[in-house]
Amino acid sequence: MSEKVTFKAEVRTETGKSANRKLRNKGMVPVVFYSQEGENLILAVNEIEFVKLYRKIGTTRLFSLEVEGKTYDTLIWKVQMDPVRPRPNHVDFLGVAADRPLKVDVPVTTEGIAPGVKLGGRMAIYREILTVACTAATIPAKIVINIDGMNVGDTVFVNDVDLGEGASVIADSNFALVRCASGRGSSAEEDEAAEAAEE
């Protein structure tokens, strides 16, 4: 496991649109910290340093948030981006307790080369994000689907995903997650086939 990153934030006393605008003009980002223990903090972080942190750990890796000498096990929960410029406008941090359940959105990725692709097929990923029930200790950084054995027409369903003890995907139905589709099929045909394959 990678070493936990420590990131500093400062308490802010002024709130509202005008105060937040002044803050952003100084190269800072307004932040709200919520904890599973019920604690709320109004904070600000350096924009450049936060962007570095976000690129490094995403939303599925815990870091140590340091505020006035106190540290919290924390996740980047939500990042609101500026509608015009590629910069964060506002951030929510979530402080997590080791043994309390939480729900986290985890990215889906594939690894390997499907034999079906070599024969002219192509991989279709129907969900790029899955919601996972877990604890702070069992958060998966990503959900990796091995496609090494997939031929044209083969499908991996969400119920096929095993995250190990302490973590599970939240899903109302056993929907198609990844499919080795015919290279000649249209996306509409693929969607129809995926829907027909759901159980």
Side-chain angles (χ1 to χ4, degrees), residues 23-24 52 56 73 79 82 98 102 113 134 138-139 142 147 160 181 189:
L23 199 64
R24 295 184 190 102
K52 290 180 182 177
K56 183 174 183 178
D73 285 341
V79 180
D82 187 284
L102 68 156
I113 300 175
C134 56
T138 59
I139 300 172
K142 56 187 176 181
I147 62 173
D160 298 326
E189 289 170 342

Side-chain angles (χ1 to χ4, degrees), residues 107-117 123-125 142-151 154-157 160-163 177-180:
V108 177
T109 186
T110 60
E111 67 175 9
I113 300 175
V117 172
M123 299 308 303
I125 301 178
K142 56 187 176 181
I143 295 171
V144 181
I145 308 298
N146 189 302
I147 62 173
D148 276 339
M150 295 184 69
N151 291 304
D154 287 348
T155 303
V156 175
F157 293 90
D160 298 326
V161 175
D162 182 7
L163 299 179
L177 185 58
V178 177
R179 180 178 174 84
C180 186

Side-chain angles (χ1 to χ4, degrees), residues 25-175:
N25 289 339
K26 295 178 182 179
M28 304 291 284
V29 181
V31 172
V32 176
F33 169 89
Y34 308 90
S35 82
Q36 289 183 296
E37 308 290 353
E39 186 173 5
N40 291 351
L41 300 173
I42 307 300
L43 309 172
V45 297
N46 180 279
E47 179 184 342
I48 293 174
E49 294 304 315
F50 171 74
V51 170
K52 290 180 182 177
L53 176 76
Y54 190 32
R55 288 175 178 169
K56 183 174 183 178
I57 70 171
T59 58
T60 58
R61 183 175 158 193
L62 285 174
F63 67 98
S64 291
L65 179 68
E66 184 177 331
V67 182
E68 296 183 335
K70 187 175 180 180
T71 58
Y72 305 84
D73 285 341
T74 305
L75 289 170
I76 298 174
W77 199 242
K78 293 180 182 178
V79 180
Q80 182 186 85
M81 300 301 292
D82 187 284
V84 178
R85 295 173 292 176
R87 61 182 298 189
N89 251 358
H90 185 274
V91 178
D92 287 343
F93 288 156
L94 177 68
V96 298
D99 56 349
R100 289 203 178 187
L102 68 156
K103 297 177 183 179
V104 182
D105 288 342
V106 180
V108 177
T109 186
T110 60
E111 67 175 9
I113 300 175
V117 172
K118 295 180 180 179
L119 297 174
R122 57 194 177 93
M123 299 308 303
I125 301 178
Y126 298 110
R127 301 286 180 95
E128 295 184 348
I129 297 287
L130 290 175
T131 301
V132 172
C134 56
T135 65
T138 59
I139 300 172
K142 56 187 176 181
I143 295 171
V144 181
I145 308 298
N146 189 302
I147 62 173
D148 276 339
M150 295 184 69
N151 291 304
V152 174
D154 287 348
T155 303
V156 175
F157 293 90
V158 68
N159 284 0
D160 298 326
V161 175
D162 182 7
L163 299 179
E165 186 175 356
S168 61
V169 176
I170 299 173
D172 293 331
S173 62
N174 188 23
F175 54 80

